[in-house]
Amino acid sequence: AVGVGTTSLDGRRLSSSGIESFLHCPHQFFVTRMLGFETDEYVDDVDVIARNDLGTLLHKVFEDFYRRRLEAGTMPEAGVAWSPADAEELRAHFDEHAKAAEAKGIVGWLPGWRLESAYISSLLPAFLTIDNEIRTVTVPVGFEQGFGPTTKTHVPFTTAGGSTIDLSGAIDRVDVSSDKATVGVVDYKSGKPDDFKKSFKDGGVRSKVQDLVYGLAARVVSPEA
């Protein structure tokens, strides 16, 4: 008889996307996350910017914009709205990153990209308007807040089966109130709106593993909250 080995999750690094992968298909999780086999197919032709490249670009724009404001001491206080001048500054910042993406050759057909980037730029004032609504009691204090075994922020989690795993990931933005009693987690979504809406249940409450994992991490980052 040939013995069959077992694989333990003890001490493994696991992100929220990894947990969701297991919930969707344990076999796929085992093949890709445990054995390390890649199942995606890649093509060299680039007609339009890849969604992950666009997401990375937008994340970098927002991270740089907020970080500069925080370091310069010009971040609006909680409850204070961004001004039209702030919106123009954000748009100019995006345009710089868009040109850098062009130089890298990752945007695809240039005329199409310039139309898309102009459209995205036109939406940025609306982004800050929404941001005004969530900064009523908190202000941004941390960006790309990494957590996991390779960082200073460890978020261990013990499963019902007794295995201890190290949750890992990066929170796009952490907002904290002046008394540190309230912490908010902001995650930028650059995918299709319809896909995002599907993640909400009745009553407007989103039910995703990522929310649970980031919630645990936020409490470690801000233990007073």
Side-chain angles (χ1 to χ4, degrees), residues 140-160:
V141 297
F143 315 98
E144 291 298 322
Q145 176 66 58
F147 59 92
T150 60
T151 71
K152 296 180 180 179
T153 305
H154 295 274
V155 186
F157 181 79
T158 303
T159 68

Side-chain angles (χ1 to χ4, degrees), residues 45-58 94 97-98 100-102 104-110 112-114 116-117 120:
D45 296 333
V46 180
D47 293 325
V48 297
I49 187 171
R51 292 300 95 181
N52 61 322
D53 287 335
L54 178 59
T56 298
L57 185 154
L58 289 172
F94 169 78
H97 281 265
E102 289 183 15
K104 291 181 180 178
I106 62 173
V107 299
W109 188 52
L110 198 55
W113 162 246
R114 288 181 176 170
E116 182 175 9
S117 62
I120 294 172

Side-chain angles (χ1 to χ4, degrees), residues 192-207:
K192 296 180 180 179
D194 289 342
D195 292 340
F196 182 65
K197 291 177 182 177
K198 290 178 183 177
S199 66
F200 284 88
K201 304 301 181 181
D202 293 339
V205 178
R206 203 168 82 108
S207 178

